[in-house]
Amino acid sequence: MKFIVFTFLLLFSISFNAQKNCEYTVEVTDSLGTLKTTKEFLMFEKRFGNNENYIFFSLSVDNGTPVLNYQLLQKNSDFSRAYCVDPSAKLYFQLENGKIITLVHNNVENCGTFFRNEDKNVRVLSANFLFLINTIEELKASPIALMRVKYSTETVDYLIREEFQSELLNETIKPANYFVDYLHCVN
């Protein structure tokens, strides 16, 4: 009997500790409701020549509704292409277990912001995506293998690596487990 209890406690503590601690950059409660947003997490990094592309995620819960905050950051010494989102924009995640999960855009048209920083052109596109019913449990259960973003005019695939050494942050990043590790922060 002691062995069964010990085994149960060990398994519970392992699964409990597998999730990362929630660090919030925004925690607001006012007359309109409650908003919490987790810190940004680097999901994708591609540096080639003068081109740099980064994708950051953060999670928000707005009055009980979980939201994925998506940010595409492009740096280039030449002209960089603009990506836009509109009501038809979607995020697709192919999980390692083979399932495909869809998130829908919140219907706000946006082509991002352009500015010049030192010797580079910078474009930043921020968008919010909503989780469909029953997708959160699937995302908690399996790591991500591939992300497809359907922008207004084209679709782009991003390979989500299990682990990589970020040149931007100078640390090891594990993006494939993002939802497994952090989705509990907004659910």
Side-chain angles (χ1 to χ4, degrees):
M1 181 66 176
K2 287 182 183 180
F3 178 76
I4 293 172
V5 171
F6 175 76
T7 304
F8 175 77
L9 289 174
L10 179 65
L11 290 174
F12 178 76
S13 67
I14 288 171
S15 65
F16 182 74
N17 290 329
Q19 296 177 337
K20 304 289 184 189
N21 290 334
C22 300
E23 294 181 44
Y24 298 102
T25 56
V26 175
E27 286 188 81
V28 177
T29 300
D30 60 15
S31 62
L32 298 176
T34 302
L35 173 68
K36 285 185 179 183
T37 302
T38 62
K39 72 176 190 169
E40 290 184 337
F41 187 90
L42 180 63
M43 290 296 294
F44 178 83
E45 176 179 285
K46 180 179 172 186
R47 296 173 72 147
F48 185 78
N50 293 329
N51 295 318
E52 299 176 40
N53 291 294
Y54 307 97
I55 294 176
F56 293 91
F57 281 2
S58 64
L59 294 164
S60 294
V61 60
D62 185 2
N63 292 324
T65 303
V67 176
L68 176 67
N69 307 305
Y70 172 90
Q71 186 175 70
L72 172 65
L73 173 65
Q74 301 169 283
K75 294 181 181 181
N76 191 325
S77 57
D78 300 323
F79 182 77
S80 61
R81 163 193 233 147
Y83 290 105
C84 300
V85 291
D86 64 10
S88 69
K90 290 183 175 50
L91 272 180
Y92 301 97
F93 294 103
Q94 182 172 359
L95 305 181
E96 287 183 5
N97 65 11
K99 294 185 179 179
I100 296 176
I101 304 298
T102 304
L103 277 67
V104 294
H105 186 250
N106 69 347
N107 294 332
V108 177
E109 287 189 34
N110 181 5
C111 287
T113 305
F114 175 82
F115 60 92
R116 186 136 177 94
N117 184 13
E118 298 171 6
D119 62 338
K120 294 205 176 195
N121 296 317
V122 179
R123 283 193 186 279
V124 179
L125 171 66
S126 296
N128 296 323
F129 290 88
L130 304 172
F131 296 90
L132 298 177
I133 296 172
N134 299 325
T135 58
I136 290 178
E137 293 308 315
E138 294 290 341
L139 288 166
K140 283 182 179 180
S142 180
I144 306 166
L146 181 73
M147 176 176 65
R148 175 172 285 173
V149 183
K150 183 186 174 298
Y151 296 107
S152 300
T153 57
E154 66 183 290
T155 301
V156 180
D157 290 339
Y158 299 96
L159 180 63
I160 302 299
R161 293 179 273 179
E162 187 171 325
E163 177 178 300
F164 68 93
Q165 181 64 35
S166 169
E167 293 179 43
L168 176 69
L169 302 176
N170 197 24
E171 64 183 60
T172 301
I173 308 294
K174 297 182 180 183
N177 286 321
Y178 178 73
F179 291 118
V180 173
D181 291 342
Y182 294 103
L183 204 47
H184 72 278
C185 296
V186 295
N187 189 319

